[in-house]
Amino acid sequence: QGHAQCVSALRQGGAKLYYADNHGRQPACWAAQNGHAKVLTTLRQEGARLDYQDKRGNTLAHLAAQNGHAQCIVALRQQWIFIKKNHDGCVPAHLAAQYGHAQCIDALRKAGMNRENKDGWVPAQEAAWNGHAGVLTALRRQGARLDCKVGVYVTLVHLAAHNGHAQCIHALRGIGIFNKKNYGGWTAAHLAAQNGHAPCIDALREV
């Protein structure tokens, strides 16, 4: 519930701050998931370890990034957990990108921006596929590579055009990937046309 003073009082009363529940999550996990940065700070001050991973391999940074809690990421202040992978091979930046949390990308400060998950995807590919133009802009600001490909051929513009994300195409201007062809010889314009995404055709034309 985000009651930092209660955490201190419980600790003074002898409460164990590292006990896990039936889901394998300690109190710090719930604080990170629900956006209680002050509680995380208090837990650290009271001696709790913040390098914990749950049963799926998620660190506190994963939980905060997935749920859009940039201030919790800032409160963690442990750079090494920002590049730690969960059991799906994802670093926190993957989850921030997948769920559209641009502020979390900035809070991670370049950590893990070009790491691949088990599917070989980097955070920018998650953002382009899911239509998060703001995340692509944040990734660009943090120095992530946006000329990455799925396999050898499929660029971020292909992913955005396939799913109808015109704003993502706008966010990718100047990358030099707009006329690249995929394994079938198709450009992003082919995919936009095939799937009926007229705004993407307009976005591609304006580049």
Side-chain angles (χ1 to χ4, degrees):
Q1 303 296 319
H3 304 309
Q5 291 181 334
C6 291
V7 171
S8 295
L10 288 166
R11 179 68 181 88
Q12 292 169 10
K16 304 297 184 183
L17 301 179
Y18 53 83
Y19 280 179
D21 61 18
N22 291 340
H23 300 284
R25 292 187 171 184
Q26 296 181 2
C29 296
W30 292 107
Q33 179 170 307
N34 291 298
H36 302 308
K38 289 184 178 179
V39 171
L40 288 175
T41 299
T42 301
L43 285 167
R44 179 192 294 108
Q45 293 170 346
E46 296 295 341
R49 293 184 61 180
L50 301 185
D51 58 354
Y52 183 76
Q53 288 180 270
D54 66 16
K55 291 181 178 179
R56 300 185 62 184
N58 291 310
T59 67
L60 302 185
H62 285 92
L63 299 175
Q66 180 174 345
N67 291 285
H69 302 313
Q71 289 304 311
C72 287
I73 294 172
V74 173
L76 291 171
R77 297 187 301 178
Q78 293 176 290
Q79 287 290 319
W80 75 267
I81 69 170
F82 296 165
I83 59 173
K84 187 76 174 178
K85 293 185 175 183
N86 64 14
H87 296 337
D88 294 321
C90 294
V91 296
H94 282 102
L95 299 184
Q98 181 181 354
Y99 290 97
H101 302 310
Q103 288 183 330
C104 290
I105 294 294
D106 286 327
L108 289 165
R109 295 179 178 272
K110 302 184 179 181
M113 298 298 157
N114 296 311
R115 294 280 180 115
E116 294 183 0
N117 62 16
K118 285 186 175 180
D119 294 323
W121 282 39
V122 298
Q125 289 160 326
E126 297 282 2
W129 181 256
N130 289 291
H132 301 309
V135 170
L136 288 174
T137 300
L139 286 165
R140 195 171 191 172
R141 187 163 54 241
Q142 294 298 329
R145 291 189 59 187
L146 300 185
D147 59 351
C148 51
K149 301 178 181 66
V150 180
V152 181
Y153 302 104
V154 180
T155 68
L156 299 183
V157 180
H158 285 96
L159 297 177
H162 182 277
N163 287 342
H165 302 313
Q167 290 303 312
C168 287
I169 293 172
H170 285 296
L172 292 167
R173 288 179 177 177
I175 305 295
I177 57 176
F178 282 81
N179 292 313
K180 298 290 185 182
K181 294 182 177 182
N182 67 8
Y183 46 84
W186 284 24
T187 65
H190 287 94
L191 293 175
Q194 180 193 37
N195 292 294
H197 301 311
C200 289
I201 295 293
D202 290 337
L204 290 165
R205 179 176 54 82
E206 293 169 5
V207 173

